Amino acid sequence: MNRFILFLAAGLLLVVAGCGGSGESEASEGTKGDNVITVGAVPDGFPTSFKEDDELKGFSVDIIKAIVEEAGYEIEFVMTDWNGVLANLQSGKIDTASNFAATEERGQEYNFTDPYYSSKAAIATAEDDDTLKEIEDLTGKQIGNIMGTNFENVLKEQYPDLDYEPVTYESTDVIYTDAGSGKVEGIIHGREHLMAQISKRDLPLRIVGEPFGDQPVALPFKKTEENDAIIADLNKAIEALKEDGKFSEISLEYFGVDLLEDEQ
């Protein structure tokens, strides 16, 4: 009886050891394909992420899908407002976030992939408002900005002497209407967003002066060894997609210009 128990125990140890070896092999070989990367995005961030006919679309959506699939991972988008995206990223409820500026300050908390494009800031005003001709004309004006975005910081860095009144909006729902009607005299946002809003949605706005600043946009991840390995995979995919023209194709679809030309 004792001899049988010893034999059975030995057999169980072999089975457990075999399962452990198989799991480690699957983990090392299955870091791609089996893993799902969860991405936070907003449903009303045209043209980078927006819902249309219950389908999530947008420049950043298409770019990130292409990156993740090229790297061999699966992808799942988690939709909230922008403050929710930031909170979910910080708490670890999502892995990364769409349309996230890779700033030095944010780099203290997150590691980033290589940028998939560089965003510039721009000021827009009502189409029939001729009081704003250049950035310096913002002095004394009410300028809208969207909570949680980095564009007002870019404006302050580029034009530290401007004395304007910032008006903060929680989302894009109202800011474009207020700018078009003159309720605020201008808005600060990404030039890509503004270009698409004006050209694709026929908003009564115009760009003031030239875009400014140069903010890399990348995928942020919490600082862990596992995430660093994912970042390395995604960086290879980003390089491949830039070289084969996929990024340029997506950029031209949404903006009518190739944003990668900024990098040349």
Side-chain angles (χ1 to χ4, degrees):
M1 185 71 171
N2 289 340
R3 199 174 285 177
F4 173 76
I5 291 172
L6 288 172
F7 175 79
L8 181 60
L12 287 172
L13 284 172
L14 284 173
V15 171
V16 172
C19 289
S22 173
E24 289 173 6
S25 173
E26 288 177 8
S28 61
E29 295 176 7
T31 52
K32 300 179 182 180
D34 294 334
N35 284 358
V36 176
I37 295 178
T38 53
V39 183
V42 298
D44 57 353
F46 180 88
T48 55
S49 64
F50 59 97
K51 292 201 83 171
E52 186 175 86
D53 299 326
D54 290 327
E55 182 182 354
L56 184 61
K57 300 179 180 180
F59 170 71
S60 286
V61 170
D62 289 357
I63 288 278
I64 295 170
K65 277 183 180 178
I67 293 169
V68 171
E69 291 170 3
E70 175 73 17
Y73 294 85
E74 297 178 15
I75 188 168
E76 178 183 336
F77 284 95
V78 178
M79 309 301 294
T80 62
D81 61 18
W82 183 242
N83 289 329
V85 171
L86 297 177
N88 286 342
L89 182 63
Q90 190 170 39
S91 66
K93 291 182 179 178
I94 56 176
D95 297 315
T96 188
S98 167
N99 218 54
F100 198 88
T103 65
E104 184 176 349
E105 180 183 359
R106 288 170 170 175
Q108 296 175 13
E109 188 168 1
Y110 304 105
N111 287 336
F112 296 96
T113 64
D114 293 338
Y116 55 89
Y117 82 103
S118 288
S119 175
K120 292 184 181 294
I123 302 293
T125 189
E127 193 174 38
D128 58 359
D129 183 350
D130 59 0
T131 63
L132 296 183
K133 295 186 171 72
E134 53 188 7
I135 304 298
E136 288 76 5
D137 294 334
L138 294 171
T139 297
K141 309 290 188 183
Q142 285 190 321
I143 305 301
N145 66 87
I146 299 170
M147 183 184 297
T149 63
N150 193 55
F151 297 110
E152 190 187 358
N153 292 333
V154 175
L155 177 60
K156 289 177 178 177
E157 290 169 4
Q158 296 289 317
Y159 299 93
D161 297 329
L162 284 179
D163 183 18
Y164 63 92
E165 181 185 346
V167 180
T168 301
Y169 290 77
E170 291 187 0
S171 71
T172 58
D173 292 342
V174 181
I175 192 169
Y176 294 118
T177 303
D178 283 2
S181 67
K183 189 171 182 179
V184 291
E185 289 140 312
I187 56 175
I188 172 76
H189 204 29
R191 57 98 188 247
E192 300 81 22
H193 290 77
L194 294 172
M195 287 165 55
Q197 291 285 349
I198 292 169
S199 65
K200 303 264 184 201
R201 294 192 165 175
D202 200 28
L203 293 183
L205 301 174
R206 63 176 179 83
I207 302 292
V208 176
E210 294 294 326
F212 53 90
D214 193 9
Q215 186 64 69
V217 178
L219 294 171
F221 287 86
K222 286 281 191 178
K223 294 175 180 279
T224 68
E225 289 186 9
E226 180 183 1
N227 283 343
D228 286 346
I230 293 172
I231 287 172
D233 289 339
L234 297 179
N235 283 344
K236 291 177 184 176
I238 289 171
E239 182 178 0
L241 292 169
K242 285 183 176 181
E243 289 180 354
D244 73 8
K246 183 64 175 178
F247 280 6
S248 297
E249 175 188 324
I250 295 172
S251 176
L252 287 166
E253 176 185 350
Y254 283 96
F255 303 115
V257 296
D258 184 358
L259 298 183
L260 290 185
E261 291 179 354
D262 292 341
E263 302 176 8
Q264 298 172 359

